[in-house]
Amino acid sequence: MHEFKIVKNLEEMGRAGAAILAEEIRKKPDLILGLATGSSPITLYRELVRMHKEEGLDFSSVRTINLDEYVGLPVDHPQSYRTFMNEHLFDHINIDSNNTWLPDGMAEDLDEEWSRYDALVNTLGGIDVQLLGIGPNGHIGFNEPSDEFSNHTQVVPLTRETIAANARFFHSLSEVPREAITLDIRHIMQANKIVLVATRNKEEILRKALQGHITSQIPASVLQLHRDLTVIFSEGE
Ligand code: F6R
């Protein structure tokens, strides 16, 4: 099943995405949610927080696996993805912080860290619902354009384009980490359900990814092969 929803603005995008996640949480209270950071899911997280506070959406048994984390940022760095998740979601809902996982970008042995994270997803039994954004170059997670689809969690050098795109969150370009640990395409594709949220600046890459050839040069194009994909595109701010 592939569904493509066009909504008017970011609030609506958040509501539409959160409604799907909430329904899955109600059906399976201890589900494994794959989560993303960045600008695109912000309104969705805000809506989940609202649903928790006003409607009692219960996260007490939910387990979350984030897609990625920068290498070299301490967890309490304002731009670490752990900080992002705490600020936008975890600190405002009744999730057990022991059930929230992100890669450790400060691990001394990064190879060991990605193997640990990879094994963790397998031990948990895979991802039930994966939330995605899409990079301006078509990346999902930090699976950057390359000659082949990556099939193991790994430390990846970020492309110049991604570093430039993420510089908006840092004081200067030189502060943007050059590497990240990311879950791979295989874990993403094995999720039972995928929800991708995209803002209007992603229109062109989204079209290429969803309507063009499937190619590892546009990693998101592989989503054409997923059995249960919902894309929510906001045409406004
Ligand atoms: C973040 C992630 C990235 C972002 C993508 C879009 O965890 O995995 O793939 O989803 O870079 O970022 P925004 O939403 O900031 O445009």
Side-chain angles (χ1 to χ4, degrees):
M1 185 189 81
H2 284 188
E3 200 177 342
F4 192 89
K5 291 186 188 182
I6 300 178
V7 296
K8 289 214 162 41
N9 54 42
L10 300 176
E11 295 309 313
E12 249 188 69
M13 183 170 83
R15 278 200 294 275
I20 298 172
L21 266 52
E23 190 185 333
E24 297 300 316
I25 294 170
R26 290 192 189 102
K27 275 197 266 184
K28 186 179 178 190
D30 65 343
L31 93 175
I32 310 283
L33 262 186
L35 297 178
T37 55
S39 304
S40 310
I42 288 180
T43 53
L44 187 154
Y45 290 147
R46 199 183 300 150
E47 174 65 4
L48 285 180
V49 170
R50 189 201 64 75
M51 290 171 112
H52 167 65
K53 295 207 159 122
E54 294 178 13
E55 298 168 15
L57 182 63
D58 182 16
F59 290 84
S60 58
S61 306
V62 169
R63 293 162 298 162
T64 65
I65 283 273
N66 262 78
L67 281 166
D68 38 27
E69 179 60 280
Y70 287 123
V71 166
L73 291 192
V75 279
D76 57 355
H77 186 284
Q79 297 307 335
S80 78
Y81 284 169
R82 165 61 78 179
T83 301
F84 177 98
M85 290 311 302
N86 287 344
E87 286 179 355
H88 290 279
L89 188 65
F90 300 152
D91 284 352
H92 313 287
I93 57 175
N94 65 334
I95 199 160
D96 178 348
S97 62
N98 293 320
N99 287 341
T100 66
W101 289 280
L102 285 95
D104 176 4
M106 291 295 283
E108 253 173 50
D109 185 334
L110 290 169
D111 287 345
E112 208 172 276
E113 176 55 14
W114 69 247
S115 320
R116 182 195 70 85
Y117 205 64
D118 196 79
L120 173 69
V121 180
N122 295 333
T123 309
L124 290 171
I127 294 162
D128 290 302
V129 185
Q130 177 67 55
L131 174 63
L132 292 178
I134 179 172
N137 60 4
H139 72 210
I140 45 177
F142 276 131
N143 295 283
E144 299 279 42
S146 71
D147 291 340
E148 50 188 35
F149 286 111
S150 68
N151 63 1
H152 64 81
T153 301
Q154 56 186 329
V155 175
V156 286
L158 301 180
T159 60
R160 211 185 279 189
E161 201 177 359
T162 296
I163 292 168
N166 290 4
R168 68 193 193 277
F169 300 114
F170 293 84
H171 296 303
S172 69
L173 195 63
S174 62
E175 281 180 34
V176 187
R178 280 359 195 200
E179 291 179 317
I181 300 181
T182 185
L183 280 188
D184 57 279
I185 298 279
R186 180 192 40 135
H187 281 309
I188 295 172
M189 288 299 283
Q190 282 172 355
N192 292 331
K193 189 177 193 65
I194 296 182
V195 177
L196 186 151
V197 283
T199 47
R200 59 193 287 190
N201 57 329
K202 306 290 175 50
E203 184 171 358
E204 198 186 324
I205 189 64
L206 202 55
R207 186 168 291 127
K208 282 190 193 150
L210 299 178
Q211 295 176 351
H213 292 300
I214 297 173
T215 162
S216 53
Q217 293 301 337
I218 302 180
S221 64
V222 75
L223 299 174
Q224 291 181 35
L225 300 175
H226 196 270
R227 60 188 179 281
D228 187 345
L229 169 70
T230 302
V231 175
I232 309 172
F233 173 72
S234 171
E235 57 184 11
E237 299 292 318

